[in-house]
Amino acid sequence: GAAVSLRDVTKVYDNGVAALGPIDLNVRTGEFVSLLGPSGCGKSTALRIIAGLSEATAGRVRVAGRDPQDRSRHNIGFVFQEPTLMPWATVRDNVQLPLDLAHMSRSESAARVNQALAQVGLLEFADVYPRELSGGMKMRVSLARALVTDPDILLLDEPFAALDEITRFKLNNDLLTLWRKLRKTVVFVTHSVFESVYLSQRVLIMTPRPGRIAHDVRIDAAEPRA
Ligand code: ADP
Ligand code: ADP
């Protein structure tokens, strides 16, 4: 089924900036798709609309069959370019935040947090504070926090853009390994051709602002090779 479906979606910000569209987009359940385009073309805008963090000016948006503006029902994992961790809280408490907000019991949430930390290779750093971590490790914590609710869909907004090239390559590999295991629906925003082709099954190439989808390219690089 369609995990994400956008129909004739546009976004014009209050200041009159036409940021996006019209775009049509279908992402199948379990698919890893990249939105690739130049800075300012509306990639983040598209992702925020899918996440329900921003409302489309026109068009129809469905995520897992629901309107993402309906916050009470949605389960969407979002990772921002800048790690947005609470500096006063440990890694464990940062990852647990979405479960606390959902009023999950401590015993159930502890197991979930451990699983999410294990998925990103940070279980042994559970009791450390964010300031003690490298940029790459902070990004892994953000990823664990996005995964901990077992979301229907994972939205990644240039998550590795601020990292050095070696850390970035390592995280690309780890994300790909994780995706092969979990088979979550992923929409990954990037302006890196390498990243989009390396990670995704499909790359949607956008025009400059207001971004429209100029090309929809199948890659299948995300399938394990023989
Ligand atoms: P990208 O992620 O591709 O770099 P964005 O979606 O962040 O692009 O931005 C698309 C355009 O919309 C840019 O011109 C940006 O300046 C503008 N924009 C983004 N957010 C806002 C906002 N809240 N208000 C007004 N303009 C915005
Ligand atoms: P990453 O590739 O995740 O950004 P780095 O390359 O900066 O990590 O760090 C290399 C390794 O150093 C990490 O994988 C981790 O094992 C170790 N390390 C980093 N920060 C700490 C820390 N605060 N305490 C203990 N070990 C650490």
Side-chain angles (χ1 to χ4, degrees), residues 121-122 124-125 128-140 163-164 166-168 170-171 174:
L122 281 185
E124 62 201 289
F125 294 94
V128 160
Y129 288 85
R131 66 174 173 275
E132 301 175 61
L133 301 176
S134 67
M137 294 167 88
K138 282 182 200 157
M139 186 45 69
R140 289 171 199 273
L163 303 174
D164 67 87
I166 291 172
T167 301
R168 189 169 178 161
K170 212 158 57 170
L171 280 168
D174 291 347

Side-chain angles (χ1 to χ4, degrees), residues 148-170:
V148 76
T149 57
D150 191 21
D152 298 323
I153 181 169
L154 191 56
L155 305 175
L156 306 173
D157 192 358
E158 306 218 31
F160 310 143
L163 303 174
D164 67 87
E165 205 171 340
I166 291 172
T167 301
R168 189 169 178 161
F169 188 63
K170 212 158 57 170

Side-chain angles (χ1 to χ4, degrees), residues 13 15 17 19 38-45 48 209:
Y13 283 107
N15 60 0
V17 171
S39 273
C41 78
K43 302 182 296 296
S44 295
T45 299
R48 287 200 303 266
R209 179 173 73 81

